[in-house]
């Protein structure tokens, strides 16, 4: 099966590395899209114990197996070599490697080189090395040479030894030394022999010692000892010819080092045919023997690999095509046993296949050209059932060392699953095309440099004003008006570079019934790629935004008009010395006109002014009723109108101010902005006071005179009428100003939301919109809190018995969403029933519970504990405690962020916040409301806190 990465299923290190490699970023693409020829080759390579290397594709991408990896040594190119271009992989020897590769690519014929010098980088340096190797072509499915397959064995040691032998031919003694031979000379009569120092060193014997044959035999490995003794005995017999040639192992008597040696020699015979001398040499062939053994084992493994390979592999010899080798997969396919086919002509074994295959075999055998057949359907029987299977087959000629063809190798791979998958993909593509055709988005696929319309759905046809007859025609032939616009350049750029492109609110002129029409579109252009990742065209996905663009343009025009009106308004208010202001409830920021700043003594103040800057200037005696008027206007949605005094910021002068204004509300009825005007009425107030003073003085001097009093009253009445007239004009002006100022603000807010939702803004711009939304939420919270604060007036409310248990449960219901979000836990004792104002007590519990949940870190589960006890006033060390009363002491404790106890009194003040607005949301009014409610009920409240541990609020409410 080849639909996954099973062809990379080798168990060694290289199989794992190939499976983990990011082939999708390489020039040959993702592994699951590789051609079958590459998969087959890698399957053989990875499962071979013989060193193999593969260069694939135009860039000659490198693959190799575990057996080859050892040739790279340590600190070499492994594993970086995998997936590299050949030229980048072997920069130091590419001039030697590239020519045979080019020859194979050009001629399509295998090459053979023996003992070739090709240095290699390993062990941290470039090393001389010799190799016997063969470069073979790998044909792809189009019978083109797509890769070069390299099998090799390192012969560096062999070449070096041969060089040594060649260099030592001049002198025998030098030759023996150079070839590191041990020499021996045995006297058969005494069974003693002499040897050179090398041989004695190998045996672990003293240099000066004459060696007894029995001692020398003890050096020989036990497994070889008898065989060597018999070989010596035979060589000493005259009729044997006296020749001696044997390999065996020895073990040094001192160091215990083992060697494999080859002993060669001959016996010399006298006239009586008895041996009188036996001499020769010993060669240490340990490395060669091990190498040969490894080669034999590798060849055996390679043979086993072929036999166990998951593909069909069979070799045939001679023109009768006798089966020389066949693996298990082929036997399963043929439904034969090994004995039934081996060494038998193919068409005797499978006579039914002669008509199909004989001509192919003959052509390959006589022409020497391989034959490739893909996806050939063959009827097979599996588990007793007949089915159609598909195979890819390669018929490759086999050549001997003289390049003569002596047989054929057949490699077959079943591709039934991939064929079935491809058919499924084709069906899927048909379904996708059908889906695209029915999409409500405008979608078109254009192929080739001429942008031929290949697929176009109904919405796009409707936009173009065309019918399905345009399919198969170049876009600019059927839509010539687009040729002179920006669209063609973007299409070509995406087609040539492969980079997507987005056009936002792009203006186009299209013809409808021959009439040009300006329209706007947001378009995404994507490269259209084939299975092999080549770009064959572009995909166009569009959406008409003409209505949106026109609406945005109208907004911009409206904003310009509003700015113009605002400039006129400023001119009018500046001329009349009327201060204009606008309060953003969420941020507490005040927008003041220059006249208003000067009125307050902030003329040279260039920083943003806040709500606090306003109310801090009000004299303390006027603060309460000023706030009350503001709250009444919000609750009643009426005009705010109040006279109060301020201490001017720059010089402390006492100034009378008349302020009128009105709240503006969002679509949910939540107030978000308070705007209005202020005028300086100090002179009017001074006049009125002075007049009243004079009246009193005159009355005291002259006594009570009705006529004079009537004159005074008449004068006061006239001034009162004048003041009322002024107040009426101010209220009227305030209403008009509030409406005209707030209307554009509401439009800006609504249209800002529309633009934010419709546009794809940058992260920074999105952050600005988020800040606007957050400010609106804070504004809403402030207005609601001020409303709550105003409701704590007890003058018009009815006192009644209030069960605090029911009020506590109702508070939790009101905060249900917050409680569920933070998974808050409550422990509450039985609470008393007290006489009070139910609505205020509900607000009290709601505020305290909300604070306990709100001011808990996100990684901690809120835990609120409520306890109650009875205490007498004379037991409470607090100035507000009435010594004659008994109190319910209700403690509400939490595990939140707490606070320093130095702030235990300050936190009840209006607008006091101990944390920044970005840490925890809030307005600074909640605890002020709590304190006011407790005070309304003739009680008092104390707070105790510890940072990062929690806070406890104790309510002392009178009993009875």
């Amino acid at each position: 099966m080849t639909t996954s990465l099973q062809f990379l299923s080798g168990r060694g290190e290289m199989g794992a590395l190939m499976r983990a490699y990011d082939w999708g970023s390489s020039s040959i693409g993702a592994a699951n899209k590789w051609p079958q020829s590459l998969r087959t080759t890698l399957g053989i390579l990875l499962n071979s114990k013989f060193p193999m290397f593969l260069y694939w594709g135009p860039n000659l991408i490198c693959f190799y197996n575990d057996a080859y990896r050892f040739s790279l040594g340590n600190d070499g190119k492994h594993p970086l070599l995998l997936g590299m271009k050949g030229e980048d992989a072997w920069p130091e020897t590419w001039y030697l490697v590239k020519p045979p590769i080019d020859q194979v690519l050009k001629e399509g014929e295998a090459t053979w080189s023996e003992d070739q010098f090709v240095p290699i980088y390993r062990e941290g340096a470039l090393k001389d090395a010799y190799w016997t190797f063969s470069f073979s072509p790998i044909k792809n499915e189009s019978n083109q040479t797509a890769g070069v397959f390299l099998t090799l064995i390192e012969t560096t040691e062999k070449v070096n030894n041969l060089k040594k032998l060649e260099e030592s031919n001049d002198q025998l003694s030098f030759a023996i030394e150079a070839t590191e031979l041990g020499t021996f000379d045995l006297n058969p009569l005494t069974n003693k022999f002499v040897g050179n120092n090398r041989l004695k060193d190998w045996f672990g014997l003293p240099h000066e010692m004459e060696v007894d044959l029995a001692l020398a035999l003890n050096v020989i490995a036990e497994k070889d000892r008898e065989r060597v003794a018999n070989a010596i005995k035979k060589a000493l017999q005259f009729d044997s010819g006296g020749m001696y040639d044997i390999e065996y192992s020895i073990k040094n008597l001192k160091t215990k080092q083992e060697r494999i040696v080859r002993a060669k020699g001959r016996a010399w015979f006298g006239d009586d045919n008895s041996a009188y001398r036996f001499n020769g040499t010993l060669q240490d062939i340990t490395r060669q023997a091990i190498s040969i053994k490894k080669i034999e084992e590798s060849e055996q493994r390679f043979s086993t690999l072929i036999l166990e390979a998951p593909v069909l592999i069979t070799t045939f010899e001679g023109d009768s095509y006798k089966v020389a080798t066949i693996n298990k997969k082929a036997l399963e396919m043929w439904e034969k046993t090994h004995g039934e086919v081996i060494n038998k002509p193919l068409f005797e074994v499978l006579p039914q296949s002669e008509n199909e295959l004989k001509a192919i075999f003959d052509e390959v055998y006589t022409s020497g050209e391989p034959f490739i057949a893909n996806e050939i359907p063959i009827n097979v029987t599996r588990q007793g059932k007949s089915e159609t299977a598909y195979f890819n087959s390669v018929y490759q000629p086999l050549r001997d060392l003289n390049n003569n063809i002596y047989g054929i190798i057949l490699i077959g791979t079943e591709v039934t699953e991939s064929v079935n998958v491809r058919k499924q993909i084709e069906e899927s593509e048909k379904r996708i095309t059908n889906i695209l055709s029915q999409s409500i988005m405008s979608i078109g696929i254009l192929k080739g440099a001429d942008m031929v319309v290949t697929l176009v759905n109904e919405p796009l046809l409707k936009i173009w004003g065309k019918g399905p007859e345009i399919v198969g025609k170049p876009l600019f032939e059927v839509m010539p008006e687009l040729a002179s616009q920006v669209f063609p350049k973007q299409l070509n750029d995406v087609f040539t570079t492969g980079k997507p492109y987005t056009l936002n609110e792009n203006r186009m002129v299209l013809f409808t019934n021959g009439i040009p029409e300006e329209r706007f579109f947001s378009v995404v252009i994507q490269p259209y790629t084939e299975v092999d990742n080549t770009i064959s065209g572009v995909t166009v996905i569009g959406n008409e935004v003409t209505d949106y663009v026109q609406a945005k343009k109208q907004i911009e025009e409206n904003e310009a008009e509003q700015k113009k009106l605002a400039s006129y308004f400023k001119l009018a208010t500046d001329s009349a010395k009327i201060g204009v202001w606008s309060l953003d409830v969420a941020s507490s920021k005040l927008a003041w006109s220059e006249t208003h700043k000067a009125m307050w003594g902030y003329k040279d103040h260039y920083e943003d002014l806040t709500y606090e800057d306003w109310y801090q200037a009000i004299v303390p005696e006027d603060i309460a009723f000023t706030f009350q008027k503001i709250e009444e206007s919000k609750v009643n949605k009426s005009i705010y109108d109040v006279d109060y005094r301020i201490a001017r910021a720059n010089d402390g002068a006492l100034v009378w101010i008349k302020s009128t204004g009105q709240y503006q509300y969002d679509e949910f009825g939540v107030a978000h902005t308070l705007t209005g005007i202020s005028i300086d009425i100090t002179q009017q107030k001074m006049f009125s006071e002075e007049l009243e003073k004079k009246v009193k003085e005159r009355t005291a001097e002259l006594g009570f005179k009705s006529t004079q009093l009537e004159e005074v009253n008449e004068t006061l009445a006239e001034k009162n009428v004048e003041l009322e007239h002024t107040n009426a004009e101010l209220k009227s002006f305030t209403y008009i100003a509030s409406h005209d100022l707030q209307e554009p603000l509401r439009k800006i807010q609504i249209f800002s939301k529309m633009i934010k939702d419709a546009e794809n803004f940058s992260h920074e711009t999105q952050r600005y919109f988020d800040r606007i939304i957050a400010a609106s939420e804070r504004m809403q919270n402030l207005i609601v809190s001020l409303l709550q604060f105003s409701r704590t007036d007890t003058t018009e409310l009815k006192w009644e018995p209030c069960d605090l248990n029911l009020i506590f449960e109702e508070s939790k219901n009101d905060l249900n969403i917050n409680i569920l979000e933070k998974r808050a836990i409550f422990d509450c004792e039985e609470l008393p029933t007290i006489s009070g104002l139910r609505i205020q007590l509900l607000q009290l519990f709601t505020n305290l519970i909300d604070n306990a949940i709100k001011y808990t870190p996100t990684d901690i589960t809120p835990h609120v504990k409520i306890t109650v006890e009875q205490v007498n006033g004379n037991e409470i060390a607090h100035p507000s405690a009435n010594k004659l009363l008994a109190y319910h002491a209700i403690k509400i404790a939490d595990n939140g962020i707490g606070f320093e106890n130095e702030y235990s009194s300050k936190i009840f003040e209006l607008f006091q916040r101990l944390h920044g607005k970005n840490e925890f949301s809030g307005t600074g009014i909640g605890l002020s409301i709590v304190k006011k409610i407790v005070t309304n009920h003739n009680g008092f409240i104390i707070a105790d806190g510890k940072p990062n541990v929690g806070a406890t609020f104790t309510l002392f409410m009178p009993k009875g």
Side-chain angles (χ1 to χ4, degrees):
M1 304 296 176
T2 59
T3 56
S4 62
L5 302 184
Q6 291 184 3
F7 60 94
L8 298 178
S9 60
R11 296 182 179 178
E13 177 186 6
M14 293 311 301
L17 287 175
M18 288 188 193
R19 290 190 295 272
Y21 194 89
D22 182 16
W23 296 107
S25 62
S26 69
S27 61
I28 62 176
N32 60 3
K33 296 182 180 180
W34 287 351
Q36 186 59 49
S37 49
L38 173 57
R39 298 176 178 218
T40 300
T41 304
L42 290 178
I44 296 174
L45 177 144
L46 282 175
N47 290 282
S48 175
K49 300 301 182 180
F50 198 86
M52 293 182 178
F53 197 99
L54 174 64
Y55 296 95
W56 186 265
N59 293 321
L60 300 177
I61 300 300
C62 297
F63 297 85
Y64 57 99
N65 62 2
D66 289 293
Y68 182 88
R69 180 258 176 276
F70 294 107
S71 299
L72 299 173
N74 298 321
D75 298 325
K77 296 178 181 291
H78 176 75
L80 298 177
L81 194 64
L82 181 65
M84 291 182 68
K85 296 179 181 179
E87 185 175 3
D88 296 336
W90 309 105
E92 65 278 4
T93 57
W94 192 241
Y95 70 99
L96 295 173
V97 178
K98 187 62 162 52
I101 293 176
D102 288 340
Q103 179 183 345
V104 172
L105 291 173
K106 180 179 180 181
E107 299 178 2
E109 298 289 338
T111 65
W112 170 266
S113 298
E114 186 173 9
D115 297 337
Q116 290 294 306
F117 172 73
V118 179
I120 188 169
Y121 186 90
R122 58 188 175 193
E123 313 301 334
L126 189 65
K127 303 285 188 179
D128 288 348
Y130 294 84
W131 311 84
T132 294
F133 53 83
S134 173
F135 286 94
S136 302
I138 301 298
K139 303 290 185 177
N140 61 18
E141 285 71 13
S142 301
N143 201 26
Q144 300 295 320
T145 302
V148 177
F149 191 75
L150 172 63
T151 56
L152 72 165
I153 186 169
E154 185 173 358
T155 60
T156 304
E157 186 172 0
K158 166 192 169 185
V159 171
N160 291 338
N161 287 337
L162 289 175
K163 286 183 178 180
K164 291 178 182 178
L165 287 174
E166 292 172 357
E167 292 170 358
S168 65
N169 281 337
D170 295 339
Q171 298 180 5
L172 179 60
S173 59
F174 179 76
I176 292 174
E177 185 63 28
T179 55
E180 299 181 340
L181 295 175
T183 62
F184 67 88
D185 194 344
L186 173 69
N187 184 342
L189 300 178
T190 62
N191 273 341
K192 294 183 180 295
F193 70 88
V194 294
N196 64 358
N197 290 339
R198 179 174 290 105
L199 180 140
K200 292 179 179 179
D201 287 341
W202 290 349
F203 281 28
L205 300 173
H207 288 181
E208 65 279 2
M209 177 181 180
E210 186 178 25
V211 184
D212 187 88
L213 178 60
L215 179 60
L217 289 175
N218 285 335
V219 176
I220 299 171
E222 185 176 355
K223 64 183 178 61
D224 297 331
R225 194 174 299 158
E226 183 177 356
R227 181 169 58 85
V228 173
N230 291 334
I232 294 173
K233 182 177 179 181
K234 181 178 180 181
L236 293 176
Q237 296 174 0
F238 179 81
D239 56 0
S240 69
M243 301 307 296
Y244 176 72
D245 189 348
I246 190 172
E247 293 179 10
Y248 55 90
S249 298
I250 62 173
K251 188 174 184 179
N252 190 291
L253 295 174
K254 292 181 178 180
T255 66
K256 307 304 180 182
Q257 179 182 356
E258 294 185 359
R259 298 175 188 269
I260 301 174
V261 298
R262 182 179 182 183
K264 295 188 70 174
R266 61 171 295 182
W268 303 87
F269 299 96
D271 295 337
D272 59 354
N273 295 335
S274 60
Y276 65 87
R277 186 179 184 184
F278 180 57
N279 62 359
T281 61
L282 261 70
Q283 180 184 5
D284 184 351
I285 61 168
T286 304
R287 292 184 179 179
Q288 295 93 319
I290 293 174
S291 297
I292 291 172
K293 184 177 181 181
K294 287 183 178 179
I295 292 173
E296 291 173 348
E297 291 174 350
S298 177
E299 290 176 345
Q300 179 61 38
R301 286 193 293 268
F302 184 69
S303 177
T304 302
L305 168 66
I306 292 177
L307 293 175
E308 300 294 335
V311 297
L312 289 71
I313 302 177
T314 310
T315 61
F316 307 90
E317 294 182 354
D319 55 8
S320 63
Y321 313 123
K322 288 192 298 185
V323 179
T325 58
I326 184 170
N327 70 351
K328 292 182 179 179
K329 197 70 175 178
L331 287 172
E332 291 174 3
M333 179 64 187
W334 289 7
E335 296 184 335
K336 301 287 184 180
T337 64
H338 187 269
E340 290 175 331
V341 300
I342 201 70
N343 293 326
K344 295 180 181 179
L346 169 63
F347 301 119
E348 287 185 11
V349 177
L350 299 175
Q352 69 274 16
S353 65
E354 184 170 3
N355 292 335
E356 298 177 1
L357 300 180
K358 182 67 163 60
I360 296 174
F361 271 73
D362 290 344
E363 178 64 23
V364 173
Y365 191 81
T366 56
S367 68
E369 295 295 328
F371 179 83
I372 299 174
N374 292 324
E375 298 183 7
I376 302 300
I378 299 177
N379 290 325
V380 297
T381 301
R382 290 174 177 160
Q383 297 179 350
K385 295 182 179 180
S386 178
E387 61 181 73
T388 299
Y390 296 87
F391 291 87
N392 290 346
S393 302
V394 178
Y395 301 81
Q396 183 83 25
L398 296 174
R399 300 177 183 271
D400 58 21
L401 296 179
N402 296 320
N403 204 34
N404 295 320
I405 297 174
Y406 70 88
I408 292 175
I409 181 172
L410 169 61
I411 301 175
T413 305
E414 184 173 358
V415 293
T416 303
E417 187 171 347
S418 63
V419 170
N420 291 336
V421 168
R422 191 190 70 246
K423 291 181 178 180
Q424 293 173 2
I425 291 174
E426 291 171 352
E427 290 297 323
S428 177
E429 288 178 347
K430 291 180 181 178
R431 289 194 295 271
I432 291 173
T433 299
N434 186 48
I435 292 172
L436 292 179
S437 298
Q438 299 179 46
S439 172
I440 62 173
M441 295 291 291
S442 302
I443 302 174
I445 297 176
L446 312 175
K447 290 290 193 73
D450 292 336
M451 298 296 153
V452 175
V453 180
T454 305
L455 181 147
V456 59
N457 68 352
E458 191 62 32
L460 188 55
L461 287 174
K462 185 176 180 181
I463 289 175
W464 287 350
K466 303 294 180 181
E469 70 277 357
I470 67 172
V471 175
K473 298 178 181 179
L475 173 64
F476 302 115
E477 177 182 315
V478 296
M479 298 286 291
E481 63 268 25
L482 295 179
S484 60
Q485 301 183 48
V486 69
F487 204 48
K489 180 181 184 305
Q490 308 308 336
L491 290 173
N492 184 66
D493 287 349
V494 175
F495 179 67
T496 55
T497 66
K499 296 180 179 179
Y501 194 86
T502 300
L503 294 168
N504 289 319
E505 299 177 21
N506 184 59
R507 176 183 178 274
M508 293 185 189
V509 177
L510 301 178
F511 283 84
T512 303
N513 299 322
I515 300 174
E517 182 181 2
E518 180 185 64
R519 297 163 75 176
F520 294 86
F521 298 89
S522 290
V523 181
V524 176
I525 307 173
Q526 293 273 8
Y528 186 90
T529 57
E530 302 295 340
V531 177
D532 59 358
N533 289 326
T534 58
I535 299 173
S536 62
V538 298
T539 300
V540 179
I541 304 174
N543 184 35
E544 184 167 4
V545 292
T546 303
D547 292 343
Y548 167 73
V549 172
Q550 291 173 348
K552 188 169 71 170
K553 183 179 179 181
Q554 184 63 44
I555 292 172
E556 293 170 353
E557 292 174 353
N558 289 342
E559 289 176 349
E561 182 65 23
Q562 295 298 333
K563 290 179 180 178
K564 183 178 179 181
L565 291 173
S567 67
Y568 293 157
F569 178 76
K570 182 178 183 301
L571 178 61
T573 55
D574 288 348
S575 300
K577 294 185 178 181
I578 298 174
V580 181
W581 48 267
S582 177
L583 171 66
D584 182 278
V585 179
S587 65
S588 295
K589 293 292 180 68
L590 272 173
W592 284 3
S593 67
E594 293 301 320
T595 301
H596 201 286
K597 286 185 180 180
M599 193 181 300
W600 245 253
Y602 290 128
K603 183 176 181 180
D604 299 323
H605 191 90
Y606 298 105
E607 297 180 0
D608 291 337
L609 297 172
T610 67
Y611 196 43
E612 185 177 0
D613 295 320
W614 170 71
Y615 74 74
Q616 280 187 348
I618 302 175
V619 297
E621 296 86 348
D622 295 351
I623 288 180
F625 74 84
T626 302
F627 277 122
Q628 181 179 351
K629 290 292 184 180
I630 293 175
E631 185 60 24
E632 287 176 356
S633 71
K634 182 197 68 173
V635 174
N636 300 326
K637 295 187 177 180
S638 60
I639 299 294
Y640 156 63
D641 188 354
V642 65
D643 297 349
Y644 55 91
R645 292 167 295 169
I646 66 169
R648 199 158 49 202
N650 57 346
D651 56 11
L654 195 65
V655 180
W656 274 95
I657 300 294
K658 173 176 282 293
S659 291
T660 60
Q662 189 175 29
Y663 275 100
Q664 303 300 318
Y665 304 85
D666 62 18
E667 61 270 27
F668 303 106
V670 178
H672 55 78
T673 310
L674 175 62
T675 58
I677 62 172
S678 297
I679 61 173
D680 184 343
I681 60 170
T682 305
Q683 291 184 354
Q684 292 93 320
K685 285 288 186 180
M686 290 175 63
F687 175 80
S688 178
E689 291 173 358
E690 183 65 23
L691 184 59
E692 184 178 352
K693 179 180 179 182
K694 288 182 178 181
V695 169
K696 289 180 179 180
E697 290 175 353
R698 295 285 291 177
T699 302
E701 292 175 2
L702 302 176
F704 181 80
K705 295 182 179 181
S706 61
T707 55
Q708 292 175 332
L709 184 59
E710 288 175 359
E711 291 175 359
V712 171
N713 288 336
E714 183 179 351
T715 303
L716 287 174
E718 290 174 356
K719 293 301 180 182
N720 285 334
V721 170
E722 184 180 341
L723 285 174
E724 289 176 0
H725 179 69
T726 301
N727 287 339
E729 289 180 342
L730 286 175
K731 289 181 179 180
S732 176
F733 184 82
T734 298
Y735 177 80
I736 295 171
S738 298
H739 181 271
D740 290 345
L741 284 176
Q742 290 307 308
E743 180 62 21
L745 288 176
R746 284 197 299 273
K747 286 185 177 178
I748 290 171
Q749 183 182 30
I750 293 171
F751 288 130
S752 294
K753 291 180 180 178
M754 292 174 60
I755 293 171
K756 177 179 178 291
D757 294 338
E759 289 287 346
N760 184 18
F761 285 115
S762 66
H763 175 73
E764 187 67 16
T765 303
Q766 289 282 358
R767 191 168 66 86
Y768 291 151
F769 276 109
D770 291 340
R771 291 179 65 182
I772 292 172
I773 295 171
S776 298
E777 291 175 350
R778 291 195 298 273
M779 174 184 66
Q780 179 182 352
N781 290 337
L782 180 59
I783 296 302
V784 171
S785 297
L786 286 172
L787 174 60
Q788 293 168 351
F789 190 79
S790 70
R791 287 176 177 168
T792 57
D793 190 356
T794 64
T795 57
E796 298 180 359
L797 297 177
K798 180 182 179 181
W799 287 62
E800 59 183 328
C802 298
D803 185 343
L804 297 185
N805 297 290
L806 298 178
I807 289 176
F808 170 64
E809 291 301 324
E810 188 173 350
S811 297
K812 287 200 298 180
N813 288 335
D814 290 344
L815 297 170
N816 184 53
I817 294 177
N818 293 346
I819 292 173
L820 292 176
E821 274 187 0
K822 302 200 73 173
R823 300 181 179 179
I825 300 172
F826 294 90
D827 291 329
C828 182
E829 295 182 355
E830 184 73 20
L831 298 176
T833 297
I834 67 173
S835 178
L837 303 171
R838 186 180 181 281
I839 186 66
Q840 289 192 6
L841 292 173
L842 175 61
Q843 185 63 51
L844 181 146
F845 272 88
T846 300
N847 282 12
L848 288 176
I849 295 172
D850 188 31
N851 275 5
I853 297 173
K854 180 192 304 180
Y855 294 107
T856 302
T858 57
D859 58 343
I860 295 177
T861 299
H863 189 173
V864 181
K865 187 175 182 180
I866 303 177
T867 59
V868 62
E869 63 178 329
Q870 313 300 321
V871 293
N872 293 321
N874 57 8
E875 299 173 354
I876 305 171
H878 192 277
S880 299
N882 189 328
K883 307 302 182 181
L884 303 177
L885 295 179
Y887 291 89
H888 297 290
I890 303 170
K891 291 186 177 182
I892 302 177
D894 63 56
N895 61 336
I897 59 175
F899 56 86
E900 296 285 357
N901 265 331
E902 61 183 284
Y903 300 111
S904 60
S905 297
K906 186 178 180 181
I907 60 175
F908 294 109
E909 296 178 11
L910 192 63
F911 298 112
Q912 288 297 325
R913 291 172 50 88
L914 301 185
H915 305 277
K917 66 184 180 182
N918 292 327
E919 297 178 83
F920 297 95
S921 63
T923 62
I925 298 177
L927 289 177
S928 300
I929 296 174
V930 168
K931 182 177 180 181
K932 190 172 182 181
I933 292 172
V934 174
T935 303
N936 288 345
H937 288 76
N938 302 314
F940 57 95
I941 182 171
I942 61 174
D944 180 67
K946 188 173 182 181
N948 301 319
V949 174
T952 300
F953 294 90
T954 305
L955 312 174
F956 291 90
M957 307 295 284
K959 292 182 63 177

